[in-house]
Amino acid sequence: MSKDVVLTVLKNEKLVENVYRMVLEGDTSAITKAGQFINIKVEGVFLRRPISICDYDETTITIIYKTVGKGTIIMKDIEVGAKLQVLVGLGNGFTLQDDESQVVIGGGVGVPPMYRVAKELIASGKKVTAVLGFNTKSEIFYEEEFKKLGCDVVVTTVDGSYGTKGFVTNALDTLTFTHYYTCGPKPMLKAVHKGNYGKGQLSFEEKMGCGFGACMGCTCKTLYGNKKICVDGPVLESEEVLWED
Amino acid sequence: MGRLTTELSGVVLQNPIIPASGTFGFGYEFQQFYDIDRLGSISIKGTTKDARFGNPTPRIADCDTGLLNAVGLQNPGVEKVINEEIPKLREVFKQPIIANISGFSVEDYVYTAEKMDKCEDVAILELDISCPNVHGGGMSFGTDKDVVREVVSKVKAVTTKPLYVKLTPNVTNIVEIAKVCEEAGADGLSMINTLMGMRFDLKTAKPILANTTGGYSGPGIKPVALRCIYQVAKAVNLPIIGMGGVMDAYDVVEMLYAGASAVQIGAANLVDPCACIKIIEDIPRVLDELGIKDIKECIRKGVK
């Protein structure tokens, strides 16, 4: 069950170029799982902006977003204290597994939802490796935060300016694990899915109309039939994922 | 009869507010936000003879005063809609249901209409000859007078339920099309469907929608909708379900002034899941403000 609530902006700060962290305060009771998202009404654009939840507690939600268009560019200038209308607790989220050795894989702004996944896995006593992929050193964020959770962290950069050179798959090839959770750009998800890493869960992104299953704007085909990314996803099981091309 | 009740071809609605087809799924998705039985009616997701996946994604593009959609009539097909979706909606919704039907041939339309005609839970058929997002279907039946005449008269022949034809604004003269619907036996009109539009990605210079074009809806189209409804209301004697960018109770009154008897809400549902119920709750206040006793006084008030 999702809830439409008013949240107050507690923080809205730049992490790295074009990437911002916003902390919102209010009723978070509709959030039940890591990997869910919220849909924010932003003054100046028509549709709400769906953003994944990086972390939350009883009274606050942390999101990390990239300025990619008109809505997020307006968001970065929203001042502390502002009230936002937000649909909270959207999407199915990840189903955390009991495996002893698990890996979370984030690419760019796909990193934030993996933070909560890692946090919950570690709290339940699992060993977690975080593979965080970026294009270049200046884009890296949250490496320290994942370390503080107690994860082994491997950072990859496409240009080799920091950590392992290449893509997240270059790091995954050297690791042993039995289950993965991932979020990132589609080409990355595809490479991970096709990389013979066993079972996992993949979080997809799609342009949405409503965010709660009414408009059928974000439907995708899966092995188990048509699914709406907003309510049947954004997380799909590796067994059901189909690639159109 | 309450202050907000209205009527469409003998079907009484407890208020004039109807979520528009395609923006409200099969209704029950909204039950988590409010009691949907408080709505006047619901126009359910456009239904075709066979199940459809719809268009590839992206199917949605934001615009400053609305959105483009190119969903492409995703639906589980008429059998499943009648056997699964409508019964599921009926559990929480006792008001009249409007079945929106579309197709790719006259035979398709007739087939789906015949099935819906036999469904007791359906009160009104809304014949969608105006969807701009399917190739060889939808809107291609709503832009040519001869085709409109054929599809409306053939569907009318297989149904005893009120038949409302949903018109596209993407024509040179919407009044001509409306007159043909009236002559062919339509009981009413729904208008307007979306305006065909496009947006481009600034980095790639490619259209944002995978379908290239989409249907533009939202507050930006309200003046176009009001103009179309007004022109048609002056020229034909059919009841009209007005729609196009309605965001609040003032917009509802304006639609009624222009010639509508009931009003559909579309894009507003996507940005505020409680839009319809907020509007219903606000109508009495707006009527008081305007010194109007009964909403029926508003219908066609501005049509001279």
Side-chain angles (χ1 to χ4, degrees):
Chain A
M1 289 287 249
S2 45
K3 243 187 194 179
D4 197 19
V5 298
V6 175
L7 302 179
T8 307
V9 178
L10 286 187
K11 276 186 196 168
N12 192 17
E13 60 203 2
K14 189 174 180 176
L15 287 182
V16 293
E17 196 61 31
N18 301 325
V19 175
Y20 293 78
R21 172 170 54 194
M22 185 184 273
V23 180
L24 296 157
E25 186 182 46
D27 180 356
T28 68
S29 62
I31 306 171
T32 55
K33 277 169 125 182
Q36 288 186 309
F37 66 96
I38 62 177
N39 210 3
I40 308 171
K41 179 103 189 79
V42 180
E43 285 306 319
V45 289
F46 188 70
L47 293 174
R48 295 193 188 208
R49 292 306 192 256
I51 312 274
S52 62
I53 296 165
C54 173
D55 198 10
Y56 69 98
D57 58 27
E58 289 75 24
T59 54
T60 67
I61 298 171
T62 302
I63 57 169
I64 293 173
Y65 61 96
K66 189 174 179 181
T67 48
V68 291
K70 204 169 180 176
T72 41
I73 288 169
I74 294 171
M75 273 176 68
K76 81 175 166 60
D77 293 325
I78 294 176
E79 290 179 4
V80 169
K83 310 270 185 204
L84 300 178
Q85 191 75 38
V86 184
L87 263 168
V88 176
L90 301 170
N92 61 349
F94 290 98
T95 305
L96 304 189
Q97 302 297 306
D98 260 341
D99 303 47
E100 279 309 313
S101 177
Q102 312 197 40
V103 59
V104 299
I105 310 155
V109 276
V111 166
M114 305 326 300
Y115 179 79
R116 180 72 193 190
V117 175
K119 190 177 185 179
E120 290 188 15
L121 287 172
I122 281 171
S124 67
K126 308 288 183 252
K127 181 178 152 30
V128 179
T129 304
V131 177
L132 312 177
F134 298 93
N135 287 311
T136 187
K137 187 180 176 184
S138 63
E139 293 181 4
I140 298 168
F141 62 88
Y142 262 49
E143 182 187 7
E144 282 310 310
E145 281 80 354
F146 277 85
K147 281 184 179 163
K148 276 182 203 154
L149 289 178
C151 298
D152 287 336
V153 180
V154 183
V155 174
T156 66
T157 52
V158 178
D159 65 2
S161 53
Y162 188 90
T164 304
K165 182 176 162 62
F167 297 97
V168 291
T169 44
N170 295 98
L172 294 173
D173 290 339
T174 66
L175 298 171
T176 311
F177 54 90
T178 54
H179 196 87
Y180 69 83
Y181 310 83
T182 185
C183 183
K186 245 184 193 168
M188 185 199 97
L189 295 183
K190 192 172 177 180
V192 170
H193 186 243
K194 296 201 170 233
N196 291 317
Y197 302 117
K199 284 193 177 185
Q201 298 169 50
L202 301 88
S203 181
F204 285 81
E205 186 179 52
E206 191 51 79
K207 286 193 189 291
M208 291 176 186
C210 62
F212 52 89
C215 74
M216 305 189 195
C218 61
T219 311
C220 71
K221 288 177 182 165
T222 77
L223 207 58
Y224 305 153
N226 297 339
K227 290 205 167 179
K228 301 174 203 169
I229 292 293
C230 66
V231 286
D232 307 317
V235 178
L236 301 180
E237 301 282 340
S238 54
E239 304 94 280
E240 63 180 319
V241 171
L242 291 176
W243 300 99
E244 302 264 321
D245 38 29
Chain B
M1 297 284 273
R3 187 185 191 195
L4 298 191
T5 56
T6 186
E7 177 236 334
L8 294 169
S9 307
V11 178
V12 176
L13 311 185
Q14 61 184 351
N15 64 63
I17 301 304
I18 310 166
S21 182
T23 64
F24 213 70
F26 290 98
Y28 49 81
E29 289 89 348
F30 283 79
Q31 189 68 19
Q32 63 176 320
F33 299 109
Y34 62 89
D35 177 10
I36 60 170
D37 201 42
R38 294 171 65 197
L39 296 164
S41 173
I42 293 175
S43 178
I44 58 174
K45 176 72 189 164
T47 300
T48 51
K49 182 179 176 221
D50 301 311
R52 285 179 53 79
F53 171 73
N55 290 319
T57 54
R59 297 173 171 185
I60 302 285
D62 196 20
C63 303
D64 292 346
T65 53
L67 73 146
L68 290 174
N69 92 81
V71 171
L73 293 173
Q74 181 185 342
N75 79 96
V78 67
E79 296 291 343
K80 270 201 170 171
V81 169
I82 289 172
N83 295 327
E84 294 173 23
E85 302 291 355
I86 292 176
K88 206 169 159 187
L89 171 59
R90 256 298 170 248
E91 286 174 21
V92 289
F93 186 69
K94 308 301 172 200
Q95 308 305 318
I97 293 172
I98 300 175
N100 180 292
I101 59 178
S102 199
F104 295 82
S105 66
V106 173
E107 293 70 33
D108 273 7
Y109 277 105
V110 169
Y111 179 93
T112 308
E114 263 187 305
K115 294 277 178 190
M116 287 295 191
D117 183 67
K118 293 191 185 80
C119 179
E120 270 181 28
D121 287 321
V122 171
I124 291 173
L125 294 186
E126 187 174 60
L127 189 72
D128 181 349
I129 52 169
S130 44
C131 174
N133 298 324
V134 289
H135 303 278
M139 193 176 88
S140 59
F141 287 86
T143 52
D144 180 302
K145 283 192 283 179
D146 294 334
V147 181
V148 171
R149 191 182 307 277
E150 186 189 357
V151 71
V152 173
S153 58
K154 285 190 171 162
V155 168
K156 179 64 189 172
V158 299
T159 183
T160 54
K161 296 186 197 289
L163 178 66
Y164 278 62
V165 185
K166 188 167 176 179
L167 302 183
T168 173
N170 303 308
V171 289
T172 312
N173 187 343
I174 198 167
V175 174
E176 277 187 355
I177 302 285
K179 281 181 175 167
V180 170
C181 291
E182 187 174 38
E183 288 161 16
D187 297 290
L189 301 168
S190 278
M191 53 194 290
I192 56 175
N193 205 319
T194 53
L195 287 141
M196 218 168 156
M198 269 184 97
R199 288 213 61 194
F200 291 84
D201 183 295
L202 290 176
K203 290 189 181 113
T204 64
K206 288 179 181 163
I208 292 174
L209 297 170
N211 188 53
T212 307
T213 60
Y216 179 40
S217 64
I221 75 163
K222 193 181 79 173
V224 179
L226 289 167
R227 182 269 297 173
C228 290
I229 293 163
Y230 174 78
Q231 287 179 331
V232 167
K234 285 214 307 186
V236 304
N237 286 313
L238 296 176
I240 296 170
I241 303 173
M243 77 196 81
V246 174
M247 299 299 285
D248 57 32
Y250 295 103
D251 294 342
V252 171
V253 170
E254 212 177 340
M255 282 275 158
L256 299 179
Y257 283 174
S261 296
V263 174
Q264 289 189 1
I265 314 286
N269 293 310
L270 307 187
V271 289
D272 181 357
C274 297
C276 285
I277 201 68
K278 285 179 186 166
I279 290 171
I280 290 168
E281 285 172 354
D282 198 36
I283 291 174
R285 185 192 63 80
V286 169
L287 292 182
D288 288 346
E289 187 184 314
L290 298 170
I292 297 164
K293 283 201 184 78
D294 190 303
I295 198 149
K296 286 179 282 298
E297 290 170 35
C298 301
I299 299 169
R300 297 179 68 95
K301 197 174 182 180
V303 182
K304 298 281 184 263

